[in-house]
Amino acid sequence: DAKTTQPTSMDCAEGRAANLPCNHSTISGNEYVYWYRQIHSQGPQYIIHGLKNNETNEMASLIITEDRKSSTLILPHATLRDTAVYYCIVPSSGGSNYKLTFGKGTLLTVNP
Amino acid sequence: NAGVMQNPRHLVRRRGQEARLRCSPMKGHSHVYWYRQLPEEGLKFMVYLQKENIIDESGMPKERFSAEFPKEGPSILRIQQVVRGDSAAYFCASSPRLAGATDTQYFGPGTRLTVL
């Protein structure tokens, strides 16, 4: 997988937007950016993924820079239940791109 | 549509016993992946299976660990003669086709194995 870099932790006030950055400067042209989160003691939950265009679903928005070297996951109105570790993952475009590499991620703490 | 199901959710074994972890993929999904998460670490890929076939077991320890995904029934991760170092959370994921660029893996709630 392309190496990703995320801040170790972030705080966000409840009701405000949470913007989680991720650097993936070695990403290849056909590699996607995936975001998962893991709430304490639960399995990873898929959030969103994208290639080059910005994406939005019911959970979040994904903004990918034009050069694709970084992206930002946006939770528009964070709630206490969004407190979790967020993982930015770029599966390799090779034959074993099903092997997801979960690094340290960003611990997002949503405060009341 | 039920999600990925795993059981048991918690499993306690004594050293030397066997542990069997089961995973039922989402309906319509024929690709299963197992991951292990040691305490305070990220998930690590173990094995990828399709029905009746092991496609990639490069992440699985060579000794004591095995996995299967029979034609009927759930996928099974089997750990023989467990040791304390096997204590971890084991997660199963599934996808409808080979997960990769666009085929997302959906994870189950995990089985937490404790070896006494």
Side-chain angles (χ1 to χ4, degrees):
Chain A
D1 295 3
K3 181 175 172 57
T4 62
T5 305
Q6 300 177 252
T8 302
S9 63
M10 293 182 65
D11 285 300
C12 177
E14 188 178 18
R16 304 298 292 268
N19 298 283
L20 292 91
C22 178
N23 287 320
H24 31 77
S25 57
T26 60
I27 193 170
S28 298
N30 58 351
E31 290 177 336
Y32 282 70
V33 180
Y34 274 79
W35 283 83
Y36 282 82
R37 72 180 181 183
Q38 189 174 24
I39 296 170
H40 183 61
S41 297
Q42 297 183 24
Q45 178 186 23
Y46 165 76
I47 301 173
I48 198 167
H49 73 282
L51 182 63
K52 59 177 75 171
N53 298 319
N54 297 338
E55 301 288 344
T56 295
N57 63 21
E58 65 279 3
M59 288 184 68
S61 294
L62 176 60
I63 308 298
I64 303 174
T65 57
E66 193 168 342
D67 64 6
R68 302 188 70 241
K69 293 183 185 299
S70 66
S71 60
T72 300
L73 179 74
I74 300 173
L75 307 179
H77 306 287
T79 70
L80 299 179
R81 288 180 295 180
D82 292 323
T83 292
V85 178
Y86 287 76
Y87 298 97
C88 169
I89 300 170
V90 178
S92 68
S93 56
S96 60
N97 54 5
Y98 45 82
K99 295 181 184 177
L100 300 181
T101 299
F102 289 78
K104 300 285 187 184
T106 297
L107 173 59
L108 174 70
T109 302
V110 181
N111 300 304
Chain B
N1 185 13
V4 178
M5 299 177 68
Q6 292 187 249
N7 66 81
R9 294 291 307 277
H10 300 273
L11 182 61
V12 179
R13 286 286 178 267
R14 297 191 181 280
R15 280 178 297 169
Q17 291 184 319
E18 178 180 285
R20 278 182 182 249
L21 289 63
R22 287 176 289 278
C23 168
S24 296
M26 288 178 70
K27 187 176 180 181
H29 288 196
S30 58
H31 299 254
V32 166
Y33 316 82
W34 285 91
Y35 292 78
R36 178 168 68 174
Q37 186 173 32
L38 295 170
E40 308 303 322
E41 294 189 14
L43 279 76
K44 297 285 194 298
F45 168 82
M46 298 181 73
V47 61
Y48 159 43
L49 311 102
Q50 294 179 30
K51 285 284 187 182
E52 299 184 279
N53 286 301
I54 297 174
I55 307 302
D56 181 351
E57 56 183 349
S58 59
M60 205 146 70
K62 296 288 187 283
E63 309 277 336
R64 302 186 297 107
F65 284 71
S66 62
E68 63 177 9
F69 188 16
K71 187 176 181 180
E72 301 292 335
S75 175
I76 306 286
L77 180 66
R78 182 182 178 206
I79 311 173
Q80 295 178 288
Q81 299 174 331
V82 297
V83 301
R84 289 216 173 108
D86 296 333
S87 294
Y90 292 82
F91 294 98
C92 167
S94 73
S95 65
R97 293 169 297 276
L98 173 61
T102 57
D103 292 319
T104 303
Q105 293 181 40
Y106 296 91
F107 284 81
T111 293
R112 275 149 189 84
L113 173 65
T114 301
V115 180
L116 302 178

